[in-house]
Amino acid sequence: MWTIGFAMATATVEAFYMLLTQDQPMSRFNPDSLWMVYVVDVVWVGLPGYCLTLVQWQFPGRVSYWLFTSATATFAWFAVVMLPDRLHTIAAGLLALGLASATGRLAAARPRGFGQVVRRSTPLVATVGLVLVVAFLGSGEWKERQAFASLPMVTPDRPNVLVLLIDVGRASHFSLHGYERSTSPQLEEWSKLGIMFEHAVASAPWTLPSHASMFTGWLPNAVLPERMLPLTERATLAQTLTDEGYATAAFFGNVDVGHPRWGLHHGFLHYNVFSISLGEYLLSSAIGRYLSLSGGFRRLIKFEDILARRNAGVINVEFLNWLHSIGDRPFFAFLNYYDAHLPYMPPGQFATMFDSGQQPRFDLLELDYRSRWVPFGSSTSQEEFLGEVDAYDGTLAYVDQQIRQLLMELDRTGMLENTLVIITSDHGESFGEHGHADHGRSLYEPEIHVPLVMMYPGRVPEGRRVENSVSLRDISATVFDLLGIENRYELPGRSLSRYWTFDSDIPAEPVVSQLITDDDKLVDAVIVGDKKYIRYASAEGVKEKEELFSLGFDPFETHDLANTPEGKLLLPRLRAALDSVLNAEALARSYTTRQPTGPEPLTAQLEK
């Protein structure tokens, strides 16, 4: 009883701490952690408690009140003092020992009274925890059901929308785009049933701004003027479809950026970023986070993956389960597959599918969930990344297989014939090009050129390939067009259907991508035809550098033409093309009412 009492008290303290800090910028609050922490602390605090209880049972009188209470309280206090994640391990251990010793002396001085307090308070604490969990989780589920029940009536034959996004999908590593390795054979087959865009361009080279642009139609810097700001825009593709009566849901494998604190959940009725798993159990408690994210502990158990990462198979299952719960109401679902994100850990046969014989060189994950490969701008050669490339290609092949399985299931149930399917990525990945590794560091092709395939029987032509450069920011406008839905919040963008509805060739249109660097520098790129112009500026907007490439002759962007005679003739036109897009964006933002008008959106009620 004393052991369980200490565990319940510890877990309740942790649960309240999570609730009080859930709005902090770096909080990774999972609502299920409110009950998971009780399970973890019953095990953690119970380690000494159950062992000493067993000793006392076998050898009566050998365990004193002080020893038992001090040992159990040490584990409990250590979990509590580790909550703020500010103390060094040794300092936290010494503090926990001191507090536990004082607790032990108190218990030893008044064992009967202390025991009565524990026996009486344990049921109370457990009840408080149960009420806390039920109230928080139950209210969220109740609000979602109420919002779903309040959706306007809509005919069940309305077309569905399914967006499958491969987080970190570099186009040049898909066999769909001519890559020598067969990384996407299934996507190649499915693309024959729709249209494939040869040069789709992400609006940003990392997840948050790229998703924000896809969901709103705005360029990243218009809605996220700083690198690490959350999206506050409520007028989104999901909100529009929810207001039309669609059941809307997002399933994110990328927990870091998909977490609701970053604002990508706006407009979705159902928003899923967590699963019940061993990893989530560990991350629910301070001691679990400490042990599982410790570099030393990871090396000991030889674990290199992101803790609690949800693979594409799990995402598919959760989506299908949700799909079965909505009846015959049309749906909009967004699935974010995170398997291709570093560290690349392809499962099973995919781990050895592409093997160059070189081992990956990334370090073990540390407290920030990330691997550190090479410093920004280093001269590391691409050859040194062969091990990473092997593993990365394996993850793409795995996701490709999972996409096939999902689409086959939808086809089996007859849903696919009435569903607009969009398969794409939010950005690419660098493997040493231009001294870059990872992503979110540049606007070169490896980081912004992504795949884009659309399928919709009867509305999207089969087997067509579009060579023009197109922007992912036009996805929202395309959905509105193909579904015949009013763009009630005036989201910008133009439907990509213009590339198959007009007989004549469409002239090259400027496509813009943007980046705010870690040191707040501004980088803008515009692509017109096969010419690509990149402008670097200070945080105040003062131009610092320009680059110009001809992608048709120089797809790897190794020859900067900015200072050549040809380049000097082209620069004024490309500067003007970039400025025209940015100025038009700023003008549109100044005249557009970005917040919903009329009745409060259903999803806003969910967030209260």
Side-chain angles (χ1 to χ4, degrees), residues 16 172 401 496:
F16 273 105
S172 62
Q401 181 203 60
L496 294 175

Side-chain angles (χ1 to χ4, degrees), residues 383-449:
E383 288 71 23
E384 294 185 55
F385 288 94
L386 293 180
E388 273 73 31
V389 170
D390 294 342
Y392 175 76
D393 291 346
T395 64
L396 294 182
Y398 167 69
V399 175
D400 180 69
Q401 181 203 60
Q402 291 299 314
I403 288 177
R404 174 187 180 275
Q405 292 183 5
L406 177 62
L407 295 181
M408 289 291 288
E409 175 63 18
L410 295 179
D411 190 34
R412 184 188 67 81
T413 58
M415 287 187 180
L416 196 60
E417 63 184 18
N418 192 37
T419 300
L420 166 62
V421 179
I422 301 174
I423 306 172
T424 187
S425 177
D426 53 347
H427 57 79
E429 189 84 324
S430 288
F431 293 105
E433 297 91 349
H434 297 271
H436 297 278
D438 198 356
H439 53 265
R441 295 179 167 186
S442 78
L443 295 181
Y444 296 119
E445 290 296 283
E447 295 189 43
I448 63 171
H449 181 199

Side-chain angles (χ1 to χ4, degrees), residues 221 225-226 515-517 519-523 536-544:
N221 291 1
E226 297 180 21
L515 169 65
I516 300 177
T517 65
D519 55 355
D520 296 326
K521 297 293 182 66
L522 305 177
V523 188
Y536 301 80
S538 66
E540 294 74 28
V542 178
K543 184 176 67 177
E544 296 181 345

